[in-house]
């Protein structure tokens, strides 16, 4: 009985993981090998044909390029902005009351749901909205921020940066508060200036947090769907088409569930690579 007791504790969890994770993943992989799945009771086995079609589809490469730009710029900006604000909030030159006020203001974007963020910025960026109204005072005409193919990707990237930087800020602030003041004092005694203390003390101690947060943000941002769908829908003219919206359209606009499953498998493989890197980093840190 003692030998089986541990399995009884984890048995339900294993079953839930199998039902909610393993079975759907296996099903999607199976769908990627067939044509006319779901819509046809007798789908045709096509093997790797969908993968070949996907890798020769210009639309897929457009979505991959947009996803890379969107993800890399967002993660880099999240890190830089989050670190700057964390340093400001952790500065001894700012009083506690002022820090509390600014901490509340800075973290507000993180409290909004994606739907609220999307609706809020669609109203602000409307041709007759607040942003264009303010810009009119400096001689800038009404701009179609979300409808101009040359501006749309940059605009949604900016929105994602605004909504996501508090995650880095809070995490880095916790990391900063965990650095011993003795290290900074020792650096001052050695004659290190502010920049040298930052590069020799702050950054090395924040490195584990920075790497962990960056890997997590890469996974989350590369799979962003709701914000794009509720602001531009992947348009205009595929200017903001990400792999997530590309896959969604294949499944629920074109009803090509086999091709959509193939794109989902590719996303799964890339996400697993990032997840493995994250897990290895966590183990190395321990």
């Amino acid at each position: 009985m003692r030998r089986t007791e541990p399995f009884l504790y984890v048995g339900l969890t294993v079953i839930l993981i199998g039902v909610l994770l393993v079975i759907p993943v296996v099903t999607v992989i199976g769908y990627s090998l067939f044509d006319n799945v779901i819509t046809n009771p007798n789908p045709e086995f096509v093997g790797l044909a969908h993968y070949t079609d996907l890798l020769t589809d210009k639309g897929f490469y457009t979505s991959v390029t947009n996803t890379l730009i969107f993800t890399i710029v967002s993660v880099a900006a999240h890190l830089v902005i989050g670190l700057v604000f964390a340093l400001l909030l952790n500065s001894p030159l700012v009083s506690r009351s002022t820090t509390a006020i600014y901490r509340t203001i800075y973290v507000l974007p993180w409290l909004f749901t994606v739907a609220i963020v999307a609706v809020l910025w669609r109203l602000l960026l409307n041709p007759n909205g607040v942003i264009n109204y303010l810009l009119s005072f400096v001689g800038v005409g009404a701009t179609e921020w979300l409808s101009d193919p040359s501006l749309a990707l940059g605009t949604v990237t900016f929105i994602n940066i605004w909504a996501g930087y508090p995650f880095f800020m809070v995490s880095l602030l916790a990391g900063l508060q965990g650095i011993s003041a003795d290290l900074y004092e020792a650096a001052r005694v050695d004659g290190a200036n502010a920049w040298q203390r930052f590069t020799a003390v702050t950054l090395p101690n924040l490195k584990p947090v920075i790497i962990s947060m960056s890997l997590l943000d890469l996974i989350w941002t590369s799979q962003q769907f709701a914000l794009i769908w509720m602001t531009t829908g992947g348009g205009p003219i595929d200017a903001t088409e990400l792999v997530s919206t590309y896959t969604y359209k294949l499944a629920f606009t074109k009803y090509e569930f086999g091709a959509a499953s193939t794109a989902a498998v590719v996303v799964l493989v890339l996400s697993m690579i990032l997840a493995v890197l994250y897990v290895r980093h966590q183990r190395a840190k321990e």
Side-chain angles (χ1 to χ4, degrees):
M1 181 63 181
R2 290 183 178 179
R3 292 183 178 180
T4 59
E5 187 175 355
F7 296 98
L8 295 177
Y9 284 113
V10 301
L12 181 59
T13 303
V14 172
I15 294 173
L16 287 175
I17 291 176
V19 172
L20 300 177
L21 179 63
V22 177
I23 293 178
V25 168
V26 172
T27 301
V28 169
I29 294 174
Y31 282 170
S32 68
L33 303 176
F34 288 84
D35 196 17
N36 297 322
V37 292
I38 298 179
T39 57
N40 190 332
N42 298 307
E44 177 185 356
F45 179 78
V46 294
L48 299 178
H50 285 313
Y51 291 90
T52 303
D53 293 340
L54 185 71
L55 295 177
T56 56
D57 184 7
K58 292 182 179 179
F60 176 69
Y61 285 106
T62 298
S63 69
V64 170
T65 302
N66 291 339
T67 301
L68 287 174
I69 295 172
F70 178 80
T71 301
I72 293 173
V73 173
S74 293
V75 173
H78 285 163
L79 174 59
V80 173
I81 297 173
L83 180 58
V84 170
F85 284 166
L87 290 170
L88 289 174
L89 294 175
N90 194 56
S91 173
L93 302 177
V94 182
S95 65
R96 290 186 177 181
S97 57
T98 304
T99 299
I101 294 173
Y102 279 104
R103 185 180 297 180
T104 303
I105 294 173
Y106 291 154
V107 84
L108 275 177
W110 199 25
L111 302 179
F112 297 142
T113 63
V114 177
I116 293 176
V117 170
V119 172
L120 173 65
W121 280 100
R122 284 185 65 179
L123 293 174
L124 291 174
L125 296 171
N126 188 281
N128 298 317
V130 175
I131 302 298
N132 280 326
Y133 174 75
L134 295 176
L135 290 175
S136 66
F137 289 103
V138 294
V140 179
T143 304
E144 296 280 355
W145 297 99
L146 295 172
S147 301
D148 188 338
S150 63
L151 297 174
L153 183 59
T155 301
V156 294
T157 303
F158 171 82
I159 297 172
N160 187 67
I161 292 169
W162 178 85
Y165 79 82
F167 173 67
F168 271 80
M169 183 191 73
V170 172
S171 302
L172 293 171
L173 180 59
L176 286 170
Q177 293 175 346
I179 301 176
S180 175
D182 294 339
L183 296 175
Y184 291 106
E185 186 62 30
R188 289 191 185 92
V189 172
D190 291 338
N193 57 33
W195 175 251
Q196 289 172 331
R197 292 195 300 272
F198 174 73
T199 56
V201 178
T202 304
L203 283 182
N205 282 276
L206 288 180
K207 183 179 178 181
V209 179
I210 291 174
I211 294 176
S212 297
M213 295 302 100
S214 298
L215 288 173
L216 282 175
D217 201 27
L218 279 171
I219 296 172
W220 294 338
T221 306
S222 63
Q223 298 178 15
Q224 178 64 265
F225 169 79
L227 178 64
I228 303 300
W229 191 254
M230 288 187 285
T231 51
T232 64
I237 320 175
D238 297 338
T240 60
E241 189 82 284
L242 303 188
V243 175
S244 57
T245 57
Y246 173 85
T247 304
Y248 181 88
K249 289 178 181 178
L250 280 177
F252 300 106
T253 300
K254 300 180 180 179
Y255 300 104
E256 297 178 2
F257 293 102
S261 298
T262 303
V265 170
V266 173
V267 173
L268 172 65
V269 172
L270 296 177
S271 300
M272 287 184 65
I273 293 174
L274 292 175
V276 168
L277 292 175
Y278 174 76
V279 172
R280 291 184 62 181
H281 169 71
Q282 292 298 102
R283 289 181 177 178
K285 185 172 65 173
E286 293 174 0

